[in-house]
């Protein structure tokens, strides 16, 4: 199985890049944040930025730093797909766990902090930040988890400092490069 692990800071455009790559490659998407949000809901808690971060931290403390990736591996194993796009990888331990599925290609999405903050305020996703202080705390939490190391070791970088149309074009180019790389690996 091919695993496309998409990483980036909150609000960088990971979900858009993941969706475009998945569409181009014909792979399903598994969103790591959705898995954590499902756990928050299962516990009967409101889906807020604080609860999502707290539950994610508790899961990692109780079951190890790769716990969310382990949940992704379980879900991906039942999909009967030749590949999967994983949106929201935050640590090298998660990459290691995902490698149980097969070859992992890391795609990092980078966007300047001021743009990320503006986008997150505008999108209004449940559990998103409401203030600059929350934005900074979320960034710090992601960096503590190790997302910076994942970004630093990425196979591909998509810079999201552009229009949506250009971002889609950039993500489509990366999808083509991944397709070419995976076909040359398999001899097909």
């Amino acid at each position: 199985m091919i695993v496309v692990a998409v990483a980036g800071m909150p609000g960088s455009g990971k979900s858009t890049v993941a969706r475009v790559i998945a569409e181009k490659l014909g792979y399903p998407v598994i969103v790591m944040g959705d898995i954590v949000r499902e756990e928050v809901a299962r516990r009967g808690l409101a889906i807020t930025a604080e609860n999502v971060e707290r539950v994610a931290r508790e899961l990692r403390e109780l079951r190890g730093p790769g716990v969310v990736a382990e949940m992704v591996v379980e879900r991906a194993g039942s999909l009967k797909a030749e590949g999967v796009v994983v949106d929201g990888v935050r640590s090298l331990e998660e990459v290691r766990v995902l490698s149980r599925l097969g070859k992992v290609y890391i795609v990092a999405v980078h966007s300047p902090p001021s743009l990320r903050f503006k986008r997150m305020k505008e999108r209004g996703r449940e559990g998103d930040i409401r203030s600059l202080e929350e934005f900074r705390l979320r960034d710090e939490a992601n960096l503590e988890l190790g997302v910076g190391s994942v970004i630093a070791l990425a196979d591909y970088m998509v810079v999201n400092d552009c229009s949506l149309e250009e971002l889609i074009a950039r993500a489509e180019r990366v999808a083509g490069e991944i397709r070419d790389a995976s076909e040359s690996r398999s001899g097909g």
Side-chain angles (χ1 to χ4, degrees), residues 139-184:
D139 273 5
E140 289 173 13
N142 275 269
L143 290 169
E144 285 174 18
L145 288 172
V147 73
S149 297
V150 179
I151 293 168
L153 295 176
D155 301 293
Y156 304 94
M157 175 70 71
V158 177
V159 178
N160 182 7
D161 60 354
C162 53
S163 68
L164 179 59
E165 294 75 21
E166 179 58 26
L167 177 63
I168 290 169
R170 291 174 182 183
E172 287 175 342
R173 280 193 293 276
V174 168
E177 291 177 28
I178 291 170
R179 181 185 306 110
D180 293 346
S182 63
E183 287 174 357
S184 70

Side-chain angles (χ1 to χ4, degrees), residues 70-98:
E70 289 169 8
M71 296 161 106
V72 168
V73 167
E74 287 175 27
R75 199 167 285 187
S78 67
L79 291 176
K80 308 287 189 270
E82 78 177 54
V84 65
V85 176
V86 180
D87 176 356
V89 176
R90 287 182 170 75
S91 72
L92 292 176
E93 177 61 18
E94 290 175 344
V95 172
R96 189 188 67 69
V97 170
L98 293 173

Side-chain angles (χ1 to χ4, degrees), residues 55-124:
V55 169
R57 189 171 290 114
E58 286 174 8
L59 284 170
R60 288 178 177 98
E61 286 170 3
L62 290 170
R63 296 174 50 200
V67 63
V68 180
E70 289 169 8
M71 296 161 106
V72 168
V73 167
E74 287 175 27
R75 199 167 285 187
S78 67
L79 291 176
K80 308 287 189 270
E82 78 177 54
V84 65
V85 176
V86 180
D87 176 356
V89 176
R90 287 182 170 75
S91 72
L92 292 176
E93 177 61 18
E94 290 175 344
V95 172
R96 189 188 67 69
V97 170
L98 293 173
S99 71
R100 294 180 199 156
L101 291 169
K103 171 63 178 159
V104 177
Y105 295 95
I106 302 171
V107 177
V109 184
H110 175 73
S111 189
S114 58
L115 269 177
R116 294 188 299 106
F117 179 69
K118 179 177 180 264
R119 288 183 188 130
M120 289 176 76
K121 288 288 287 181
E122 290 172 354
R123 73 183 180 189

Side-chain angles (χ1 to χ4, degrees), residues 2-4 21-23 25-29 81-85 178 182:
I2 300 296
V3 179
V4 180
I21 290 173
E23 287 172 4
L25 296 176
Y27 296 168
V29 177
E82 78 177 54
V84 65
V85 176
I178 291 170
S182 63

Side-chain angles (χ1 to χ4, degrees), residues 24-39:
K24 287 299 271 187
L25 296 176
Y27 296 168
V29 177
I30 299 175
V31 180
M32 295 184 83
D34 286 351
I35 290 174
V36 176
R37 283 184 280 278
E38 289 168 13
E39 179 64 18

